[in-house]
Amino acid sequence: HTLSSGAPGGVPVVYGLAPDGVRSVTFYYPGRHPGHPLTALVISNVYVLHDPGDRLPDYGFPTKLIWHAVNGHVIKTITWP
């Protein structure tokens, strides 16, 4: 899964798998200030973003997801309509 959401153990999260070399994942949501995306670290190819109070739109699915390398360079950008 590149991206999924749910509430395992009652805690709402957005989570997924990233390939080797990805250090962090940045999430962009409609309606959020453009300068305030959310970022999650990747540990053992897994990232988890906590969604406190289920406040992220569209069940936590962003309009854009960016994978970053350890040095900060963009590895891949994924967009959804």
Side-chain angles (χ1 to χ4, degrees):
H1 295 297
T2 299
L3 183 70
S4 191
S5 71
V11 178
V13 295
V14 180
Y15 58 94
L17 300 175
D20 290 343
V22 176
R23 178 63 177 137
S24 65
V25 177
T26 302
F27 301 76
Y28 291 83
Y29 290 95
R32 284 190 63 87
H33 188 277
H36 294 93
L38 302 171
T39 300
L41 289 178
V42 176
I43 300 171
S44 298
N45 298 92
V46 175
Y47 58 88
V48 178
L49 177 68
H50 183 226
D51 180 6
D54 281 324
R55 293 192 328 223
L56 296 175
D58 299 323
Y59 301 103
F61 290 97
T63 55
K64 182 166 68 171
L65 193 68
I66 299 179
W67 291 343
H68 297 276
V70 172
N71 62 7
H73 286 97
V74 172
I75 294 174
K76 185 172 187 168
T77 300
I78 303 167
T79 58
W80 291 276

